[in-house]
């Protein structure tokens, strides 16, 4: 999955020193500021959306998302 972004310099790939079977993929330093800015907008949107909720409501919301992800993955054999 990271082959094309790696070839275009969007991400960096290197072998995991602790486990040579794994490859670590990270945002290339030249693109980090752009990626951080893009992610920050989403993070702020989540903070704004969740702020009015109580702690218990936030927990319910997060658990609902986890259940959805787990079930969606199970439908496709990813679990």
């Amino acid at each position: 999955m990271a082959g094309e972004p790696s070839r275009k310099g969007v991400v960096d790939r290197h072998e995991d020193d602790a486990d040579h079977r794994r490859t670590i993929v990270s945002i290339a330093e030249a693109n980090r500021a752009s990626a951080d800015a893009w992610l920050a907008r989403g993070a702020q949107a989540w903070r704004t959306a969740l702020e009015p909720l109580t702690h218990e409501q936030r927990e319910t919301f997060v658990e609902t998302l986890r259940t959805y992800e787990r079930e969606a993955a199970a439908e496709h054999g990813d679990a």
Side-chain angles (χ1 to χ4, degrees):
M1 285 180 64
E4 184 68 17
S6 179
R7 283 188 290 280
K8 292 184 175 187
V10 175
V11 297
D12 292 326
R13 298 168 53 173
H14 67 275
E15 188 176 89
D16 182 351
D17 293 334
D19 183 348
H20 297 287
R21 296 170 295 175
R22 294 184 355 164
T23 299
I24 306 297
V25 178
S26 59
I27 302 295
E29 194 59 42
N31 298 306
R32 188 164 306 277
S34 295
D36 287 348
W38 178 69
L39 292 171
R41 287 191 297 272
Q44 182 57 48
W46 277 114
R47 280 192 289 279
T48 300
L50 296 173
E51 183 180 25
L53 303 179
T54 66
H55 177 74
E56 291 78 18
Q57 290 170 323
R58 287 181 193 141
E59 285 182 339
T60 299
F61 177 75
V62 169
E63 187 53 37
T64 299
L65 289 177
R66 287 180 177 151
T67 300
Y68 171 82
E69 287 295 318
R70 188 171 47 251
E71 293 301 313
E75 285 183 20
H76 293 62
D78 298 337

